[in-house]
Amino acid sequence: MCGIVGYIGDRDASPVLYGNLKRLEYRGYDSCGIATLDGKIHVKKDTGSVEEINKKVDLASLPGHLGIGHTRWATHGGVTKKNAHPHLDCSGEIVVVHNGIISNFSTLRDLLLKKGHKFKSETDTEVLVHLIEEKYDDGIEKAVRDALMDVAGTYALLVFSTREPDKIICARNESPLVLGIGAGEMYIGSDIASFLKYTKKAVPLDEKEYAVVKKDGYVVKSLATGRKLKKEIMEIDWSDEVAKKDGYAHFMLKEILEQPTSVASSLNVYPEDISKLALMIDDASRVYLCAAGTSLHAAMLGEYWFSSLCNKSVIAMDSSELQNKGVVDGDTLVIGISQSGETYDTLASMRYAKEKGAKIAAIVNVTGSTAARFAEHVIMQGSGIEISVCATKTFTSQAIILLRTALALAKKKKKDVSKIEKELLKLPDILEETIKLKNEIKEISKKYLTVENYIYVGRGINLPSALEGALKLKEITYHHAEGMSGGMLKHGTISLIDKDLNVIAIVPASGENRSKTMSNIQEIKARDGVVVGITSGKPVDGCDANIVAPECGEAISPLVFAPIYQLLAYYTAVNLGRNVDRPRALAKSVTVE
Ligand code: F6R
């Protein structure tokens, strides 16, 4: 994972880099550092978050108008000051920050050690800077390109040298990197949002490309041939304002409560884009919705909608498993679903499928991301920037795109889905009512979410809700939670029910799945379990507490229940004093395998 930034221009580089790094902390926050150039290379780095380190060592006070920075999510080497980036070569004249994994680092390290290089860290990254030092004879650009010829693995890296103080060299292979174009100044970042405060003009690098960046411009070239490439400049329409907390205690809370607006925006995504995706699904013999984590749970909702509304089998696939169990050929459609558009496994599944001749589509939130540029057909889900590591509003948006696509396909097949369509249009209002339950949810979390183990149970379209509810709780409270179908509960897990394990039951307003889940609740109560019901319309008999959303049909109920279990996890984490927006060991964008 990790986030990297660069700046070259007339401003003082370190305050710019410090601010831009703070926007990339969702990518990792165990240590960070900045290097600037002012005659010589100045480096400050340490363990902790960007803000903590700034308090300790005043990162933003380094001199110079050129610099690079890094916020780390450790892969190779523990969380120590030595392992924090930037890394210098032996002479102290070349400096590197890197996001990715150098897979042949130990071979390269042995080779470089034999040549007399002195290593100071345990990281894979440090081999890059020594390799560049080793190759340096005809300029930094050539040295970087020659070094990367010997490197296997993934990287987005930034390099500069005291010997050529007018430029930063950056390169990309399977880790994101974007140039931001200012007036007489240039920005570099792992994503566009990092420099959105300064410029809305961006050029994302593609695989195996590198750039020579100077204050008044840039040249992008192919790593393989060294030839100049023509790149399109993207104009970004995201506003920097949305990246602020607006008085909320946490971004997560702000983003949960934003859902009436974000779902309205996803309901407005162009119908033509949705219809095209529906046609692609209809034409394919096999369709895989490839995703990870929360996005995979949205994909699972899609599975239910496509089967129940269109009689079409669409498979939600853990993107890291497509190569192991997918049947992928020219008749296959792979739809990558990814908020960031940068998740390694999801991108790998899309690349694998393309190699096998499959068609590729994507549902993505981040403009200019790799998935958005890789797919033949892209739907931008329209959630706006999501800062909190824990995905909330982007989940409901992904689900809406899938539901709208299923509805479009159902209509093409002459099925009457008008009732669901009408209800879906009312979703922003229903969610407006739902989030009014927040104080009630806060109280229920204080009273009932006080143990260390939970089971979330749901049936049918609310099985993905149970899985997602459990994931939200786990990732930000560090308590254990499992999601499962009511059907599965008796096949082993029910033996866990006791005073140290509580159950959250997700129950639609009516129908078979309501009555069947109520039977599950009776079974749990018969074993003295505690059950909190999340439901719609009316309370569920037998539960110790109920959170009752406005009445809605079962098909859209997962969209209505989402803010409830998100808030339940949120308040529980707050009660436990957890770092809600930055849970331990996580990063928002998982760009390593
Ligand atoms: C959970 C969460 C993760 C992501 C997963 C995929 O709150 O955020 O599980 O959903 O890492 O990320 P994207 O959607 O960016 O591919």
Side-chain angles (χ1 to χ4, degrees):
M1 275 86 89
C2 309
I4 60 179
V5 292
Y7 174 77
I8 179 164
D10 290 330
R11 298 173 201 255
D12 287 334
S14 61
V16 173
L17 295 168
Y18 167 67
N20 292 3
L21 267 184
K22 274 176 49 174
R23 286 152 190 268
L24 284 182
E25 273 192 293
Y26 71 83
R27 303 178 67 85
Y29 32 79
D30 55 41
S31 49
C32 101
I34 288 179
T36 58
L37 180 63
D38 182 34
K40 60 178 192 140
I41 295 174
H42 302 263
V43 178
K44 283 190 176 178
K45 57 184 184 178
D46 214 327
T47 56
S49 71
V50 178
E51 214 163 304
E52 282 161 10
I53 297 169
N54 191 48
K55 274 189 198 137
K56 263 197 260 177
V57 300
D58 201 1
L59 279 172
S61 68
L62 287 169
H65 305 287
L66 178 163
I68 57 180
H70 185 275
T71 178
R72 182 166 187 245
W73 186 87
T75 57
H76 291 57
V79 180
T80 62
K81 184 172 171 179
K82 274 192 182 156
N83 289 338
H85 301 216
H87 292 288
L88 287 157
D89 71 332
C90 302
S91 67
E93 292 178 0
I94 304 173
V95 66
V96 168
V97 292
H98 161 234
N99 161 214
I101 291 178
I102 307 302
S103 42
N104 61 341
F105 90 98
S106 70
T107 320
L108 291 174
R109 191 179 157 108
D110 291 347
L111 218 103
L112 289 158
L113 282 169
K114 276 193 199 122
K115 291 192 180 238
H117 290 266
K118 300 265 179 300
F119 281 77
K120 296 181 203 81
S121 77
E122 298 143 1
T123 63
D124 53 339
T125 300
E126 202 184 342
V127 300
L128 288 173
V129 73
H130 291 288
L131 199 56
I132 295 167
E133 178 184 21
E134 187 62 32
K135 302 276 182 185
Y136 198 107
D137 63 5
D138 191 16
I140 189 75
E141 176 183 344
K142 185 167 181 308
V144 172
R145 198 169 149 234
D146 288 350
L148 291 177
M149 296 294 166
D150 295 350
V151 164
T154 61
Y155 50 78
L157 77 143
L158 306 182
V159 187
F160 72 82
S161 164
T162 51
R163 298 176 219 171
E164 291 164 70
D166 63 337
K167 64 185 74 140
I168 299 174
I169 310 291
C170 57
R172 155 181 185 151
N173 184 37
E174 296 190 27
S175 295
L177 199 58
V178 192
L179 309 183
I181 307 164
E185 57 182 2
M186 289 289 299
Y187 299 85
I188 311 166
S190 296
D191 75 14
I192 287 165
S194 64
F195 51 69
L196 207 52
K197 183 173 164 198
Y198 300 101
T199 177
K200 292 197 164 55
K201 284 196 177 117
V203 175
L205 292 198
D206 285 303
E207 303 314 341
K208 303 223 161 83
E209 290 182 355
Y210 74 100
V212 181
V213 182
K214 298 187 174 181
K215 75 179 220 184
D216 48 8
Y218 62 95
V219 185
V220 179
K221 297 184 181 178
S222 152
L223 269 172
T225 64
R227 260 187 239 123
K228 234 167 122 171
L229 300 167
K230 208 167 151 21
K231 303 289 289 182
E232 226 171 272
I233 299 177
M234 293 175 59
E235 291 282 344
I236 311 303
D237 58 5
W238 276 0
S239 135
D240 186 47
E241 288 308 298
V242 287
K244 295 190 178 136
K245 263 195 235 164
D246 286 345
Y248 288 97
H250 299 98
F251 278 111
M252 184 178 174
L253 181 61
K254 176 180 177 241
E255 288 159 1
I256 294 172
L257 301 182
E258 257 166 22
Q259 287 178 100
T261 318
S262 57
V263 302
S265 149
S266 306
L267 288 170
N268 276 326
V269 166
Y270 288 129
E272 294 77 13
D273 287 347
I274 304 270
S275 304
K276 181 168 173 194
L277 186 62
L279 280 183
M280 289 174 87
I281 292 173
D282 201 24
D283 283 350
S285 308
R286 267 174 308 282
V287 182
Y288 294 112
L289 305 174
C290 287
T294 290
S295 299
L296 180 60
H297 296 150
M300 288 176 179
L301 289 174
E303 236 177 0
Y304 281 90
W305 283 319
F306 284 104
S307 69
S308 62
L309 304 177
C310 325
N311 199 27
K312 174 89 187 179
S313 168
V314 162
I315 300 166
M317 176 73 77
D318 168 347
S319 53
S320 67
E321 289 298 325
L322 182 73
Q323 295 200 33
N324 294 327
K325 68 173 177 183
V327 177
V328 183
D329 58 20
D331 290 329
T332 308
L333 169 67
V334 161
I335 307 177
I337 305 178
S338 175
Q339 184 287 128
S340 60
E342 301 295 352
T343 296
Y344 183 92
D345 288 330
T346 304
L347 290 174
S349 71
M350 292 164 74
R351 289 187 184 114
Y352 167 79
K354 192 163 185 173
E355 269 165 30
K356 295 269 176 188
K359 303 217 166 25
I360 312 292
I363 300 172
V364 178
N365 192 39
V366 175
T367 318
S369 58
T370 308
R373 287 176 298 118
F374 184 80
E376 333 166 0
H377 180 53
V378 184
I379 299 195
M380 299 308 296
Q381 60 184 75
S383 321
I385 298 177
E386 187 176 68
I387 307 280
S388 183
V389 165
C390 189
T392 54
K393 63 174 181 169
T394 52
F395 169 72
T396 39
S397 287
Q398 289 167 334
I400 283 172
I401 301 298
L402 289 166
L403 176 53
R404 284 185 63 198
T405 310
L407 290 169
L409 183 56
K411 286 208 292 199
K412 187 172 171 277
K413 291 177 180 269
K414 308 275 177 253
K415 305 209 186 263
D416 179 12
V417 286
S418 52
K419 201 169 158 224
I420 301 175
E421 272 190 316
K422 275 192 204 130
E423 208 177 15
L424 185 58
L425 290 178
K426 286 193 219 138
L427 188 66
D429 297 332
I430 302 177
L431 290 189
E432 206 64 79
E433 289 307 305
T434 308
I435 60 179
K436 285 186 187 153
L437 299 168
K438 69 180 200 314
N439 289 336
E440 198 180 309
I441 297 171
K442 192 176 181 177
E443 289 313 308
I444 286 179
S445 107
K446 260 192 217 148
K447 189 158 175 207
Y448 293 101
L449 277 90
T450 49
V451 293
E452 292 200 358
N453 295 290
Y454 299 86
I455 293 173
Y456 282 65
V457 64
R459 282 178 181 260
I461 190 101
N462 281 304
L463 168 56
S465 305
L467 297 171
E468 179 59 7
L471 179 63
K472 293 301 90 167
L473 193 82
K474 273 188 278 207
E475 64 178 318
I476 58 170
T477 67
Y478 320 146
H479 282 173
H480 173 245
E482 268 183 76
M484 71 185 60
S485 69
M488 278 293 279
L489 188 64
K490 319 189 198 31
H491 298 281
T493 316
I494 200 163
S495 68
L496 289 174
I497 306 281
D498 66 9
K499 63 174 180 24
D500 296 322
L501 181 143
N502 289 352
V503 176
I504 316 293
I506 304 187
V507 193
S510 58
E512 238 188 15
N513 286 325
R514 181 172 175 100
S515 44
K516 286 188 182 170
T517 313
M518 284 170 76
S519 304
N520 288 126
I521 293 167
Q522 290 310 318
E523 289 155 9
I524 296 160
K525 290 308 297 172
R527 286 153 185 86
D528 295 328
V530 170
V531 186
V532 174
I534 295 180
T535 187
S536 130
K538 52 187 178 298
V540 182
D541 292 344
C543 289
D544 296 84
N546 272 286
I547 305 166
V548 187
E551 176 140 14
C552 65
E554 190 171 355
I556 72 151
S557 64
L559 298 161
V560 178
F561 295 149
I564 299 181
Y565 58 67
Q566 291 164 355
L567 284 167
L568 205 55
Y570 171 76
Y571 286 119
T572 308
V574 170
N575 294 339
L576 290 162
R578 305 294 193 231
N579 189 346
V580 175
D581 282 334
R582 289 198 227 136
R584 70 184 181 201
L586 296 184
K588 188 154 187 70
S589 181
V590 184
T591 55
V592 292
E593 195 164 15

